[in-house]
C-alpha cells in the first residue's frame, strides 16, 4: 500500500513537470536551501485539487524579537478585553453563519430534489394507469437531463473556479491544523463554490453527502471572518489585527469545522469531538469550550429554523426535528448473547471498511490520471457518473417484485406516493409497494431514514437489499473522486446500513435486535472500519439516533471494527492526505527514527558564513521582506535603537504574511547596511546534533514549530554554531525513507502508541 | 484569594516544622540544590491528606542513553506484540474491576441505607398509631447511633490507615497526570480504605457522593494493575516490566479515572470526556480510544449486574436501569423566549457556584487548622458533622405541613412507605404525604431522582424546597472537608437541583419548561459554576437524563454559568490543588512570564566543576543510585564498553524508581572510578539563557519535562556550558511571584488563552 501510493506521487510529480504548468503560487524563494540531499525535500509541493502548490508551514512558536516583546508589554488591558470580546464574537458569528448556510443548503436540496422526485412519482402514476407512454418517455429523459444539469453546475463551478473545492476537504483541514498552510484553501470562491456545488451535487441524486462540504464551509466562514473578508476586499477593522496570527486563525478554523459537523448531523457534542479526535492536532481546554459555544449556536439556529419550517413555510422541507434518524421509541432488548451478532457486525464492518479504503485508493489514483488530462475530462467523468447513478436509481426498482402492504398499516401509510414515506407505490398496484423504490427513489437522507426504520421486519426483501448494497458499493467507490464537493459520511452510512440490514434479515429470529438497529450498527461499523474514529463517531450516532441504550453495543461495534480495520491499512483520511502529498506530521515518531540522529540529513544553513561564531537567531522571510519593502537601511554599521524600529514597524505589519514583493533597490542603497536585530527571533528552540530524530520530532510537533535549529555538541573555534535547520519536510517519514532507503527494510514494528 | 491561601500554606509549614513530625517519605537528597534563592523552591512539599510529603516529578522525556538505545534496538517484534496485548488486557481489566467494585459499593450502600430507612419508616408508622413512645425514642437514638457508627468506620479508616484517602481525589489525579509523583496516592491501602470508607460515609446519610471516590478507586486499580500488585507483594510477571515507566502508568491511570466517572454516572462518553477535559494534561488519540474501551467494559459490567438485580436478587438494590435519572419520556416544549429563564438559571448558577468555591475555601482552611491538631480532632469533627446531618434529616420534616395526595394518583403511588417512592407518608395521615421527608429521608441518589421528577408541578411546596436548599448549602460546605472519602458531585447536584426547582416554582406558568427540568438545569448550572467544565458536564447530564432534546438548553446554561463563574474565581479543583500546595503546571504561561528570562532565577548546578567546558548530559538520581548499589566501579579511568554495561544493568533495573538505599562503600572503593557515560541522557532539551520563562514553560509543559537545561548565549573559554537547570518548581507562578514580588504588582491581565 505504502509503496503504491508513493509511486503514485512520483507519477503525479513527473506528469506535472512534463506539462510544465507553472502554478501562480509557486515560489522560488521557498525552495529548500538547507538540505544536503534534494530527495528529502522533493515533496514540498502538495497536490491540492490536482494542482501542485508550494506550501508553507504555520507558525506557532513564540517569536521573541525586540519588537514583539515591546508590543506585548505595551498591550493595554483594554486591548486584551477587545481581544477576548472579539474572540467570542467571532465564535458566535461562525456558529450563526454556519447554521444559516446549512439551513439554506438543506432547504435548497430538499426542495429541488423533492420536486424532482414528485415529478417522477407523478410520471409513474401516469404510466401505471396505462396511458401517455410517450409523455412518460420524455419525462424520464427530463429526469435524467435534470440530474445531469445539476451535476454540470456543480462540476463546472468546481473545475473552473475552485479546484480545491472538489472532494471532502476534511483531510485538508486536518493538515492545515497540523501546521501546513496550503494556499487557496479557505477563500471566498471556495466557499461559494462549495455551497452551490454541494446543493447541485446532492440534489442531482449523486451518492454524496453534504456533510464533508459543510465542514469545509464552516472552516471557510471561520477563516474569512478571522481575516475580515475575502482576500482582495478585506475589512480594515482595527480590532481584527489581533487575529492576524496563525494560532488564532487555527482556533477559529477548529470552531468552524466543529460547527460544520454539528450542522451536518445536528450533533453538537459530536461536532466538538470530531474536531478533537480527527481534525485538530493541538488542543487546549479553552478551545474545547469555545468550540462548544459555536456548536451550541448552530443548534439554536437549526432548531429555530426547524420550528419555522414545521409550520410548513419552507416548501417541501419540514418533516423531522432536531434528531435526524430518530429511533428513540424503540424498546431495546438485548442480552449478553447478542454480543455474538454484534461482534460479527463489527468484524465485517472492519474488513469491508479497509477493503473500501483499499479500493477507493485505487479508484482515486485512476481518477487522478483522468483528471490531469484537462478540464473536459474532469467534466465528462462527473457527468458519466451522474448518468449512471440516475439510470440505476430509476431503472433498478423495476427489477424487483411488488410486495403487499401489511394489513396493520393504514392506507395513508402504505403505499405512499408523496416525496417521503416508507412504502413507495412506484409501479405497483394499489395495496402493494416497491421496497427498492423506497430506498432508491428518494433523497439520501430519506433513504437512510427508511432503511433505519424499526419494527418493520418484513418491509424489505433480501433481493432488494442485495441490489441496494451492491449499487451503493459501486457508487460509493466511483462517485467520491469526481470534481464536485462531496462528503464521505453519507455514502458509507448507506453502504453500511445496507449490509447491516441484510445481516439482520439473515439473523432472523436468532437475535432480539431489531433489523433497523442492525442497519444502524452496520453503518456505524463501516464508518469505524473506514474512518477509524471511535468516540466522536459514537457520540454522532448517539445524537443522530437519540437512543442512549444503543450506546454499549455501538461502542463494542466501533471498537471491533476499528481494530480490525487498523490491522489492514490506515484510515481513509490518511490515505487521501498521502495521495495529495500533504506533509502531515504524525503524533508518534516511527520506531526507526530512534536510530537516526538529527544531523544525518542536514548541512549548515547557507545564510551563515563559515567564519561566523555566534548564532544570533532566526528571522522569518516575511519579516526580511518587510524590512526590504520599508527600506530599513542604514548608512553606517550600527545597532538601532528601539524607538527607531518602532517608528518604522509595528506588529500589525509584521503579522502580515505576504507572498513575494518586488523591491527596487538602488545602487546607492546596495552599499547601505541593515540592522536585523530587532526583527530577529533570538531564542529559537534548538537541539543537539546527537539527538535522535524521534526525540526532535516530539519537540517539533508538540510545540508546533516551523524551524528547529541543530547545534553542535562541542563548540570550538572555527566550528559553525549551527549545524543545520530542521523543517517539517525533514521529519516526514516518507521523505526520510526516500533519502535513507535502508531504513525501510528494518521497519515493520508497530508505532509505540 | 491568592494571598490568603499562600498564608495558609505558610502556616501549615510552620506548624509542621514546630511539631517536627518527620515524614517517612522525606528525602534530604531531594532537597533543591540548584537555586539561587531558597524562596523559589520552598514549596517542593505538598500537603496531601494534611501530611507534608516531598514530591518528585514524573519523567516523560525520551531518555537517550547508550543503554536504553541498545535495548530499544534489541526489542523484538514479539515483545512489541506482548506490549500491545498487555496494554489492551490491562485496559480491559481496569474496566472490569472498576465495574465490579462500583457494583459492590452500590449494592452495599443501597442495602445498608435501605434497611436503615425502612427501620425509620417502621418507627414513624408506630408513632403515627400513637403507641410505644419509648421504643420510638430509643429507635431514633438507634438511628443516630447507626449513622455515627458508619461515619466512625469511614473516618477511623481514613485517619489511621490512609490519610490520602480522605477527600475526593480528583485534584490529586489531575496533578499526577500533570507530572507530579505524590507518594502514597495509588496504593492498595488507599484503595481498600476508599471502598469501605465510601460505603460507610454514603450509607451514613452524609451529604457526600460516591462519585469522586469512584474516580480515585478506578485510578488505584489501574495503578496497582500496572505495577503488578501492592508495593510489597508485587507480582513478578515478566511482561509487566513494559509498564514500569511513567508514560504507560499515566495512560493506565487515565483509563482508570475515566472508568471511575463512567461507573459513577453510568456515563461512558461522559467519563472519557471528563478525563479529557478535567483530568488529563497530555492527550493522544490512541489514548482516547483505549479509555473509551475501558468505559465500554464498565458499562457492560454494570448492565449485566442491573439485569441480574432486576430479578430481585440483590436485596434492596434493583430498581432503575442503566440511565440514572431518566427524564426521557418528557416531551420537551420550549421556544425561543424560554431562553430568558434559562439564562437566569445560568447566571445564578455561576454566581452561586463561585460563592460556593469561595466559602468552601474558607471552610477548608478552618478544617485544616482543626485537622492538624491530631487524629482525635479529625475524628470528632467527622462525628459532629454526622450527628448534625442525621438530626436535620430526621427532625426537619416535622416542621412542614402534610400535603394531600393528588387524586389522580393511585394509593400505591401516594403516599408511600417503602424505601424509595416519590410521596413519603412519614408522619402524615393516610392520603397525605410529607414532601420534605421525600427529599431528606432517603438516599442521596433517590433524593436526586425525586427532585428531578417531572410532570409533578404541585408536589413540593416552597417552604420545603427552601429548607432543603438551605440545609444542603450548609451541609455541602461543612461535609466536604471531613476525613472520609467524599465526592463533590452529588452535594452540588443536590444544592443546584434545589435552587433550580425553586426557580421553576417561582416561574410558574411564565415558562413552558417543566419544574423537573428546572431542577436538572439548576444542578447543571451549579456544577458548571463551581467545577467549570463544559463539554464533559454536558455529556454527563445527557447520559444521566437520557434526553437529547435537553441538550441545547443545557449547553446554554453551562456556558453562561461557567463564564459568570470564571469572572469571579478559579475552579474548585484549582482551589483545592492550591490549598494542598501541589505544583500544578498550567497550560498557559502568565503574561508577565514574558518579561522574565530563564536565567533570572538560577545558578550553575553544583555538580559541574567550574573548569568544566562540556555538558555531557544529565543523569537521573535513580540511575546514580543503581550504579552505586551495583558497585559499578572501575580501577582505572577508562570508558567502558557496551557489553560490560549490559552485563551489569538492564533496562528493567533502570526503570525502577527506588527511594534512598544504603550503600556501604569501602575506603578501597572510594579511590575507584565510575563511568557514568552509558547511563547519561546525552541529549536533554536545552534552552538559551535569554529565552523568556513563558516560552520555556511552553516547552516544559508540552513535552512533559522534568529538567530543562539552560545554556549560555555565548560560549567562551571559562564559561560554564550550563547556566542552570529549570524544574517544575521554578515555573510555578506562585513560586516565581514569591521570589520576584514586584511582578505581582504588574499582573492582572488575563491569560491569553
Amino acid at each position: 500500500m505504502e509503496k503504491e501510493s508513493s509511486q503514485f506521487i512520483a507519477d503525479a510529480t513527473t506528469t506535472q513537470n512534463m506539462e510544465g504548468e507553472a502554478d501562480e503560487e509557486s515560489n522560488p524563494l521557498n525552495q529548500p536551501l538547507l538540505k544536503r540531499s534534494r530527495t528529502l525535500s522533493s515533496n514540498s509541493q502538495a497536490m491540492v485539487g490536482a494542482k501542485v502548490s508550494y506550501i508553507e508551514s504555520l507558525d506557532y512558536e513564540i517569536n521573541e524579537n525586540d519588537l514583539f516583546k515591546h508590543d506585548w508589554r505595551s498591550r493595554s488591558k483594554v486591548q486584551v478585553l477587545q481581544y477576548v470580546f472579539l474572540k467570542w464574537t467571532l465564535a458566535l458569528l461562525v456558529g450563526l453563519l454556519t447554521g444559516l448556510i446549512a439551513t439554506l443548503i438543506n432547504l435548497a436540496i430538499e426542495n429541488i430534489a423533492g420536486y424532482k422526485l414528485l415529478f417522477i412519482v407523478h410520471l409513474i402514476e401516469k404510466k401505471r394507469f396505462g396511458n401517455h407512454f410517450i409523455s412518460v418517455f420524455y419525462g424520464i429523459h427530463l429526469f435524467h437531463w435534470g440530474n445531469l444539469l445539476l451535476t454540470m453546475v456543480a462540476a463546472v463551478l468546481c473545475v473552473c473556479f475552485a479546484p480545491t473545492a472538489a472532494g471532502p476537504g476534511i483531510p485538508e483541514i486536518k493538515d492545515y491544523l497540523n501546521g501546513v498552510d496550503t494556499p487557496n484553501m479557505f477563500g471566498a470562491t471556495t466557499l461559494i463554490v462549495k455551497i452551490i456545488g454541494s446543493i447541485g451535487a446532492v440534489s442531482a441524486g449523486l451518492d454524496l453527502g453534504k456533510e464533508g462540504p459543510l465542514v469545509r464551509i464552516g472552516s471557510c466562514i471561520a477563516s474569512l471572518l478571522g481575516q475580515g473578508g475575502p482576500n482582495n476586499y478585506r475589512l480594515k477593522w482595527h480590532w481584527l489585527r489581533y487575529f492576524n496570527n496563525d494560532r488564532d486563525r487555527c482556533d477559529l478554523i477548529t470552531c468552524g469545522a466543529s460547527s460544520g459537523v454539528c450542522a451536518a448531523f445536528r450533533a453538537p457534542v459530536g461536532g466538538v469531538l470530531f474536531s478533537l479526535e480527527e481534525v485538530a492536532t493541538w488542543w487546549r481546554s479553552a478551545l474545547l469550550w469555545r468550540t462548544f459555544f459555536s456548536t451550541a449556536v448552530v443548534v439554536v439556529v437549526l432548531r429555530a429554523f426547524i420550528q419555522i419550517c414545521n409550520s410548513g413555510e419552507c416548501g417541501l422541507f419540514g418533516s423531522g426535528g432536531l434528531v435526524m434518524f430518530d429511533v428513540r421509541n424503540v424498546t431495546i432488548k438485548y442480552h449478553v448473547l447478542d454480543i455474538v451478532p454484534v461482534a460479527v457486525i463489527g468484524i465485517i464492518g472492519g474488513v469491508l471498511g479497509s477493503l473500501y479504503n483499499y479500493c477507493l485508493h485505487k479508484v482515486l489514483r485512476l481518477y487522478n490520471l483522468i483528471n490531469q488530462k484537462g478540464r473536459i475530462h474532469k467534466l465528462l467523468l462527473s457527468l458519466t457518473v451522474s448518468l449512471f447513478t440516475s439510470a440505476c436509481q430509476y431503472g433498478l426498482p423495476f427489477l424487483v417484485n411488488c410486495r403487499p402492504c401489511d394489513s396493520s398499516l393504514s392506507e395513508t401509510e402504505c403505499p405512499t406516493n408523496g416525496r417521503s414515506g416508507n412504502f413507495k407505490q412506484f409501479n405497483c398496484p394499489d395495496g402493494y409497494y416497491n421496497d427498492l423504490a423506497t430506498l432508491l427513489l428518494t433523497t439520501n437522507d430519506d433513504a437512510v431514514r427508511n432503511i433505519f426504520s424499526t419494527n418493520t421486519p418484513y418491509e424489505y426483501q433480501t433481493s432488494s437489499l442485495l441490489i441496494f448494497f451492491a449499487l451503493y458499493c459501486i457508487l460509493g467507490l466511483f462517485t467520491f473522486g469526481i470534481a464536485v464537493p462531496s462528503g464521505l459520511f453519507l455514502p458509507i452510512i448507506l453502504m453500511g446500513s445496507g449490509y447491516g440490514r441484510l445481516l439482520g434479515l439473515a439473523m432472523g429470529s436468532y437475535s432480539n435486535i431489531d433489523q433497523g438497529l442492525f442497519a444502524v450498527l452496520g453503518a456505524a461499523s463501516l464508518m469505524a472500519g473506514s474512518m477509524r474514529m471511535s468516540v466522536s463517531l459514537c457520540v454522532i450516532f448517539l445524537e443522530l439516533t437519540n437512543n442512549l441504550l444503543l450506546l454499549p453495543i455501538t461502542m463494542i461495534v466501533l471498537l471491533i471494527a476499528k481494530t480490525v480495520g487498523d490491522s489492514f491499512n490506515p484510515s481513509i483520511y490518511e490515505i487521501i492526505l498521502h495521495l495529495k502529498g500533504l506533509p502531515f506530521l504524525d503524533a508518534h515518531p516511527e520506531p526507526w527514527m530512534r536510530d537516526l540522529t538529527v544531523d544525518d540529513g542536514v548541512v549548515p544553513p547557507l545564510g551563515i558564513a563559515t567564519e561566523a561564531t555566534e548564532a544570533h537567531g532566526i528571522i522569518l522571510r516575511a519579516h526580511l521582506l518587510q524590512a526590504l519593502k520599508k527600506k530599513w537601511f542604514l548608512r553606517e554599521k550600527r545597532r538601532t535603537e528601539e524607538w527607531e524600529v518602532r517608528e518604522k514597524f509595528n506588529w500589525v505589519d509584521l503579522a502580515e504574511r505576504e507572498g513575494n514583493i518586488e523591491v527596487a533597490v538602488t545602487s546607492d542603497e546596495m552599499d547601505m547596511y541593515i540592522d536585523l536585530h530587532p526583527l530577529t527571533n533570538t531564542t529559537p528552540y534548538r537541539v543537539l546534533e546527537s539527538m535522535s530524530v524521534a526525540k526532535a520530532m516530539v519537540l517539533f510537533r508538540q510545540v508546533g514549530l516551523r524551524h528547529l535549529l541543530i547545534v553542535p555538541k562541542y563548540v570550538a573555534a572555527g566550528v559553525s554554531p549551527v549545524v543545520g535547520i530542521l523543517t517539517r519536510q525533514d521529519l516526514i517519514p516518507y521523505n526520510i525513507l526516500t533519502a535513507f532507503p535502508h531504513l525501510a527494510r528494518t521497519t515493520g514494528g508497530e508505532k509505540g502508541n
Side-chain angles (χ1 to χ4, degrees), chain A residues 621-682:
Chain A
R621 190 171 59 88
H623 293 180
L624 262 182
L625 286 176
Q626 280 285 337
L628 289 173
K629 194 179 160 196
K630 296 217 169 185
K631 298 203 177 285
W632 170 241
F633 304 136
L634 305 168
R635 297 231 160 258
E636 66 279 28
K637 202 170 175 179
R638 67 174 174 89
R639 192 179 170 93
T640 47
E641 299 297 323
E642 207 177 306
W643 59 266
E644 286 180 273
V645 196
R646 259 184 289 137
E647 261 179 18
K648 202 84 176 179
F649 301 99
N650 60 44
W651 61 271
V652 181
D653 290 337
L654 292 183
E656 288 297 327
R657 179 180 282 197
E658 289 181 75
N660 301 320
I661 48 166
E662 301 257 327
V663 181
V665 182
T666 63
S667 62
D668 194 29
E669 286 169 342
M670 286 298 279
D671 292 331
M672 289 163 81
Y673 295 93
I674 188 163
D675 176 23
L676 292 179
H677 98 265
L679 303 173
T680 305
N681 177 4
T682 52

Side-chain angles (χ1 to χ4, degrees), chain A residues 535-598:
Chain A
V535 183
S536 55
L537 259 190
C538 192
V539 176
I540 288 177
F541 263 89
L542 177 67
E543 294 186 296
L544 273 180
T545 56
N546 193 17
N547 199 322
L548 204 75
L549 293 175
L550 262 176
L551 198 58
I553 44 174
T554 316
M555 287 171 97
I556 295 170
V557 162
L558 290 177
L559 284 169
I560 294 176
K562 182 171 151 70
T563 313
V564 172
D566 272 342
S567 61
F568 289 111
N569 52 24
S571 85
I572 189 72
Y573 292 126
E574 278 176 55
I575 289 176
I576 296 174
L577 272 178
H578 198 243
L579 263 179
K580 296 208 169 191
L582 292 171
F584 184 83
L585 211 56
D586 220 336
H588 307 287
E590 305 280 336
W592 47 262
M593 285 187 176
R594 290 195 169 216
D595 297 333
L596 209 66
T597 57
V598 286

